[in-house]
Amino acid sequence: MKISVIITLKKDVLDPQGKVIHQTLDGMGFDDVNEVRQGKYFEIDTKEIDNDKAKAKVEEMCKKLLANLVIENYKIIDPK
Amino acid sequence: MKSSVITFPGSNCDRDMDVALKKFGFKNKMVWHDDADLPKSDLVVLPGGFSYGDYLRCGSMASKSKIMQSVINFANSGGMVMGICNGFQILVETGLVPGVLLRNKYLEFICKNVFVKIKDKKNKYFKNIDNEVLEFHIAHNEGNYFCTTDQLKEIEDNNQIAINYCDEYGKVEDHFNPNGSIKNIAGIFNKDKNVLGMMPHPERMIDKSLSGEDGSLFFNNLINNLK
């Protein structure tokens, strides 16, 4: 089963890369952008076949390694 | 005095640290990250570098390596653990010291000498140092110290700030802040002040002909404090 995780910076954390991307987009003519925030995306292929168990495992992975909860939030996308 | 320097895949300041520690009298051992046991040590150092290529987040992979459980146990039983640069990033990822280190505010790798003001001398790292200001070297891409408002309050209430970026006279102001760190924080302690994480490299300032000697002051003082 494949489970996806999206990790984003929390609202109050400065994202200088997102800012530079925003400025570049602006320079390219995409001038209606309010803000850009850069994040991370993971695809985890697990042997677990039970949906809930797999999600619980991935949540544990997020808390222990994939995200740093001081600055980041994680969102687990429902497996298909 | 016995010290141990941990080498992770991608560490590159481990040998500099070994040279520095030996120069000031430590009997140092190099310890591989995949070893489980820590040799008997009075000081454990997590050196600078790019452990695991800075994958995921700087220090995140190294913080889960085999030796780190022994380092965490050592620190929790009062042992002296010092993390420099990438070592500081590893320490925050273990949770031994609070906060995180973000990408530098202006997105550039910074490599230069800086001045830091010693904020707290009631600890074994800076006790008895006469100077208020030291000149150290920094070389990092992710040294922008960040923590939550609650964490900052706790850090300040417990006097856990070790050093702040400043000018040569010890003025801690915004424009002497090279990387955007909250409150110009360059180094912090854990609550008991046996664990120190800092971005500057004292091991690069131990020879006048190469750079400077404020690192010599630091290491000389450190070994005397541990005796």
Side-chain angles (χ1 to χ4, degrees):
Chain A
M1 179 186 307
K2 273 188 187 165
I3 297 189
S4 304
V5 178
I6 293 175
I7 301 213
T8 50
L9 278 174
K10 286 186 176 167
K11 215 178 84 211
D12 299 334
V13 179
L14 180 76
D15 177 15
Q17 295 181 90
K19 271 208 166 119
V20 171
I21 295 165
H22 183 186
Q23 282 165 15
T24 305
L25 285 172
D26 200 55
M28 291 164 73
F30 297 104
D31 51 9
D32 51 357
V33 177
N34 287 324
E35 195 186 15
V36 179
R37 305 280 286 171
Q38 185 174 316
K40 292 173 188 153
Y41 174 79
F42 299 85
E43 248 179 28
I44 298 164
D45 192 349
T46 166
K47 291 188 184 80
E48 180 60 59
I49 44 167
D50 182 275
N51 206 333
D52 290 344
K53 276 186 190 162
K55 270 180 83 176
K57 262 274 154 63
V58 171
E59 174 145 24
E60 202 185 335
M61 291 176 203
C62 288
K63 285 179 179 162
K64 287 186 175 168
L65 181 69
L66 301 182
N68 183 326
L69 300 180
V70 179
I71 48 166
E72 293 168 325
N73 290 322
Y74 61 87
K75 195 167 132 191
I76 299 167
I77 316 284
D78 259 330
K80 283 172 197 145
Chain B
M1 289 289 111
K2 292 188 177 111
S3 60
S4 298
V5 172
I6 317 289
T7 302
F8 300 94
S11 295
N12 64 8
C13 302
D14 46 337
R15 284 176 61 194
D16 297 40
M17 186 55 80
D18 178 58
V19 169
L21 290 166
K22 283 175 178 161
K23 184 172 180 181
F24 299 99
F26 282 94
K27 282 201 175 79
N28 187 52
K29 273 193 179 153
M30 303 303 283
V31 181
W32 185 233
H33 72 107
D34 209 25
D35 291 350
D37 299 319
L38 204 56
K40 202 176 166 344
S41 313
D42 302 293
L43 171 73
V44 172
V45 182
L46 309 180
F50 300 85
S51 59
Y52 294 87
D54 283 347
Y55 290 176
L56 190 63
R57 293 179 307 275
C58 301
S60 62
M61 302 292 171
S63 73
K64 312 291 179 204
S65 61
K66 214 186 232 176
I67 193 68
M68 282 311 293
Q69 200 47 58
S70 300
V71 174
I72 291 166
N73 293 341
F74 178 74
N76 286 337
S77 61
M80 298 275 286
V81 177
M82 177 167 79
I84 305 295
C85 197
N86 187 226
F88 184 13
Q89 294 163 342
I90 297 168
L91 282 179
V92 298
E93 284 287 341
T94 60
L96 281 172
V97 294
V100 289
L101 292 147
L102 299 174
R103 186 91 187 262
N104 294 341
K105 191 175 175 186
Y106 301 109
L107 294 171
E108 36 184 21
F109 186 95
I110 307 167
C111 183
K112 64 175 188 182
N113 285 3
V114 291
F115 293 98
V116 291
K117 184 171 188 176
I118 303 169
K119 181 86 199 288
D120 185 280
K121 289 192 180 179
K122 288 179 186 155
N123 59 79
K124 283 186 175 170
Y125 294 95
F126 295 106
K127 192 176 79 185
N128 299 326
I129 278 194
D130 290 333
N131 302 37
E132 300 302 318
V133 176
L134 296 170
E135 186 180 13
F136 281 161
H137 189 82
I138 54 168
H140 60 247
N141 200 37
E142 283 88 1
N144 178 358
Y145 183 79
F146 178 86
C147 60
T148 63
T149 318
D150 291 348
Q151 281 178 319
L152 185 64
K153 189 179 180 306
E154 212 182 316
I155 289 167
E156 288 190 310
D157 288 351
N158 297 325
N159 295 317
Q160 282 172 252
I161 299 175
I163 47 176
N164 297 100
Y165 298 108
C166 64
D167 70 352
E168 57 189 301
Y169 307 108
K171 240 188 221 165
V172 178
E173 284 175 6
D174 223 17
H175 56 284
F176 306 121
N177 184 343
N179 52 24
S181 294
I182 286 185
K183 301 246 167 185
N184 285 35
I185 290 173
I188 53 163
F189 300 109
N190 65 340
K191 254 188 203 160
D192 294 332
K193 297 186 187 174
N194 57 311
V195 181
L196 166 66
M198 61 176 172
M199 289 316 292
H201 291 264
E203 79 278 13
R204 294 191 186 180
M205 304 298 267
I206 58 163
D207 194 324
K208 207 176 179 180
S209 59
L210 284 176
S211 46
E213 286 200 303
D214 284 3
S216 309
L217 286 175
F218 174 77
F219 284 107
N220 250 327
N221 184 65
L222 177 60
I223 192 162
N224 286 330
N225 284 345
L226 291 179
K227 274 174 191 164

